[in-house]
Amino acid sequence: MTLDLTAELAATRLLAVIRGSDTAAAIATGTALLAEGVRVVEVALTTPGALDAIAAIRAAAPAGSLVGAGTVLTPAAVADVAAAGAQFVVTPAVVDSIPEAVRRGLPVAAGALTATEAYAAVRAGAAAVKLFPASVGGPAYLKALRDPFPQIPFVAVGGVGLAELPGYLAAGAIAVGVGGPLVGDAASGGDLDALRERARAYLAATS
């Protein structure tokens, strides 16, 4: 049975995006986030050893958590992340990986910025559209996109700090995806205690 990524994101309202420079730190970041109660995490393939990180985080993940792969651009990358145990795929744009992920039963949150891209992402089989970078237009732009496409589940990603988060949810995003403002430098060896504190703040803001 294919995972209903849209329902999971709508329920949790928070996708943590892990992008760093160290494999072990990325694993520690993912496990810390999940331990704090974040239920959906994504490891970007630009992180060194990302496939190993995905496998390790998935193995340690509590029941009900989801571990996915981000920056998945090609069909070959889809095969790699599927083998590593990724449960969903995220892309930065409308790219060749989307139909391959759909073919394999991996739900996709596909990156799009314009109305044309958002429509193309859904036509390609994306379960949700990642409005990226959301900060370019802010919540008002998201609302403008949703007016003609009320049926498209949008996830706002890119520059979503705690101050901006309520605006995106109010504008109709089913969830927000947060990298830097949440993860900070933890995935590159930074302070995990500070990461946990930020995670608690984001969980409170999305609850």
Side-chain angles (χ1 to χ4, degrees):
M1 180 176 169
T2 301
L3 165 74
D4 189 344
L5 180 64
T6 301
E8 294 291 337
L9 288 172
T12 64
R13 309 189 93 185
L14 179 64
L15 164 65
V17 181
I18 300 169
R19 188 187 303 276
S21 61
D22 181 83
T23 309
I27 294 169
T29 296
T31 53
L33 287 168
L34 292 169
E36 286 298 331
V38 175
R39 285 172 48 193
V40 187
V41 301
E42 160 201 340
V43 179
L45 291 188
T46 52
T47 302
L51 297 175
D52 290 336
I54 290 166
I57 296 168
R58 175 81 195 276
S65 303
L66 298 177
V67 181
T71 325
V72 181
L73 303 178
T74 65
V78 173
D80 290 340
V81 302
Q87 293 164 284
F88 63 92
V89 162
V90 182
T91 76
V94 181
V95 290
D96 294 343
S97 58
I98 298 171
E100 176 61 17
V102 172
R103 187 185 72 80
R104 289 174 173 266
L106 283 174
V108 182
L113 181 60
T114 68
T116 299
E117 291 167 352
Y119 184 70
V122 173
R123 285 288 301 271
V129 170
K130 179 179 96 170
L131 179 62
F132 177 78
S135 58
V136 169
Y141 180 68
L142 169 60
K143 183 182 181 305
L145 271 183
R146 287 194 70 248
D147 285 346
F149 296 124
Q151 77 281 9
I152 294 181
F154 283 98
V155 180
V157 182
V160 183
L162 278 171
E164 295 80 25
L165 188 155
Y168 286 108
L169 295 180
I174 63 165
V176 294
V178 190
L182 168 59
V183 173
D185 62 355
S188 298
D191 187 345
L192 289 177
D193 288 334
L195 169 72
R196 294 184 183 98
E197 189 172 320
R198 292 190 297 272
R200 289 191 287 270
Y202 269 93
L203 286 167
T206 51
S207 63

